[in-house]
Amino acid sequence: MCNQLVDEIVLVDVNEAAAVSEMMDLKDFSTALGIHVAIRVGDYSDCADARFLIMTAGRHRKPGESRRDMLEGTFDILSKIVGPIKESGFDGTLISVSNPADIVAEYLYRSLDLPRSRNFGTGTALDTIRLQRVVGTLVGMERSQVQAIVMGEHGDSSFVPESHVSLGGIPLDEYLRLRPEHADKLEFKAIGKTVHESGASIIQGKGATEFGIGATVAMIVSSILHNEKRVIPLSAHLRGEYNERFVSVGVPCLVGQNGIEQVYELELTDEESELFHKSCEIIRGGFETIVKKV
């Protein structure tokens, strides 16, 4: 809405009163800012001609919980939603945000007749934004100058492939040769832990994350609408990339007017490959646990 990327936003929620209140609040917001985007409350029939479906349905994450703790509650909700979405004839791009993100993305990929290019999760896109913020702060550099991504699960088993980190276009090893005083600051296992804990810290303080993930979704939508060809780590269903199949996991994707136009298969070190496969196994195990119940 703030970026005026779309003409109309339709809110669909089992709690219609909450959706109406959200609509009214957003209308006040848009009026104050002079934004002209139509906002209304609707139902699943509105999916029929929607360009994007942003899936945020699921159980809220409570303070002290991991994303995995939301598994059963979220899938109890999702199992009631996929039917109406299919029946609506939706044929746009589905971007899933609900946690646990990768398991949800895989479930929606298998449940809906949409191609991988138009059915994926936000994956480690937000983790990557948090990583760039943390590293930029540590070394006193503009965050956009930090070229680094998070891969794997949107959760505790994600990792930073250090072999593909550069700062200001300078590969990490060379950067540390030029700025050796930053070596202690750029300890990526510790940085990864900080990234892992960011969401939980926000939830502990205010009960939910909203602005970071909202801006992340808007970035993905913008890349598709404007054919920006951004590389964004998304939870995409793998078909042999990285020697993995039948799992959705955070990997760098080229995003343009057709959605995911290519999954980039990075050359990882042996240690990074091991971390990636372990993360895939964790996601796969969670999916197999829940799919028996839905």
Side-chain angles (χ1 to χ4, degrees):
M1 185 191 76
C2 290
N3 293 334
Q4 299 187 70
L5 293 172
V6 295
D7 298 318
E8 182 180 46
I9 297 171
V10 180
L11 305 175
V12 180
D13 198 302
V14 66
N15 185 343
E16 188 173 351
V20 169
S21 296
E22 187 81 353
M23 173 193 69
M24 293 169 64
D25 201 12
L26 287 171
K27 283 188 173 182
D28 289 344
F29 185 20
S30 63
T31 301
L33 295 180
I35 292 171
H36 299 284
V37 174
I39 305 169
R40 64 182 176 85
V41 174
D43 55 36
Y44 290 105
S45 65
D46 290 296
C47 296
D49 61 351
R51 177 75 187 273
F52 297 96
L53 193 161
I54 313 302
M55 174 66 72
T56 62
R59 183 172 77 73
H60 289 297
R61 184 179 172 191
K62 300 173 184 176
E65 287 188 323
S66 71
R67 296 176 182 89
R68 191 61 60 83
D69 292 327
M70 304 163 66
L71 196 56
E72 286 201 36
T74 292
F75 273 85
D76 182 56
I77 295 168
L78 290 177
S79 64
K80 299 177 177 67
I81 290 176
V82 291
I85 292 174
K86 287 185 76 169
E87 291 164 10
S88 75
F90 173 71
D91 193 38
T93 297
L94 188 154
I95 304 172
S96 63
V97 180
S98 310
N99 278 314
D102 306 285
I103 299 173
V104 169
E106 181 66 13
Y107 175 70
L108 293 174
Y109 176 79
R110 296 194 194 191
S111 300
L112 299 171
D113 297 324
L114 295 170
R116 176 175 76 171
S117 60
R118 293 190 284 110
N119 188 355
F120 52 84
T122 49
T124 49
L126 178 56
D127 306 79
T128 294
I129 288 168
R130 290 168 173 166
L131 171 67
Q132 293 167 335
R133 168 177 57 80
V134 170
V135 172
T137 300
L138 286 172
V139 301
M141 178 179 283
E142 165 57 41
R143 292 164 291 185
S144 64
Q145 291 291 295
V146 178
Q147 292 88 38
I149 65 168
V150 178
M151 289 181 64
E153 176 196 23
H154 178 52
D156 293 341
S157 69
S158 68
F159 68 99
V160 180
E162 294 181 47
S163 60
H164 293 275
V165 173
S166 61
L167 302 175
I170 304 170
L172 180 61
D173 288 346
E174 187 175 355
Y175 177 85
L176 291 177
R177 181 179 62 78
L178 297 169
R179 299 295 302 271
E181 70 275 17
H182 287 166
D184 290 341
K185 296 178 180 179
L186 294 177
E187 210 295 300
F188 279 93
K189 287 185 180 177
I191 291 171
K193 187 173 185 295
T194 300
V195 170
H196 291 160
E197 294 172 351
S198 291
S201 297
I202 294 169
I203 289 167
Q204 185 68 39
K206 60 175 280 186
T209 60
E210 48 189 338
F211 297 110
I213 187 60
T216 299
V217 171
M219 174 184 70
I220 297 167
V221 169
S222 177
S223 189
I224 295 170
L225 288 177
H226 298 149
N227 197 28
E228 292 170 353
K229 306 292 187 180
R230 288 177 182 256
V231 177
I232 306 173
L234 300 172
S235 188
H237 176 81
L238 297 188
R239 300 184 292 214
E241 297 90 351
Y242 300 95
N243 292 317
E244 288 286 353
R245 294 179 181 274
F246 310 116
V247 65
S248 291
V249 61
V251 289
C253 300
L254 179 66
V255 182
Q257 63 185 353
N258 299 312
I260 293 180
E261 299 188 348
Q262 186 175 349
V263 171
Y264 283 153
E265 192 169 0
L266 302 184
E267 187 173 325
L268 302 176
T269 66
D270 289 346
E271 181 182 1
E272 291 163 356
S273 291
E274 184 178 349
L275 290 170
F276 183 76
H277 292 307
K278 283 183 178 178
S279 197
C280 288
E281 281 303 308
I282 288 171
I283 296 167
R284 192 178 286 110
F287 181 84
E288 290 172 356
T289 296
I290 201 65
V291 77
K292 298 172 185 176
K293 300 180 180 180
V294 295

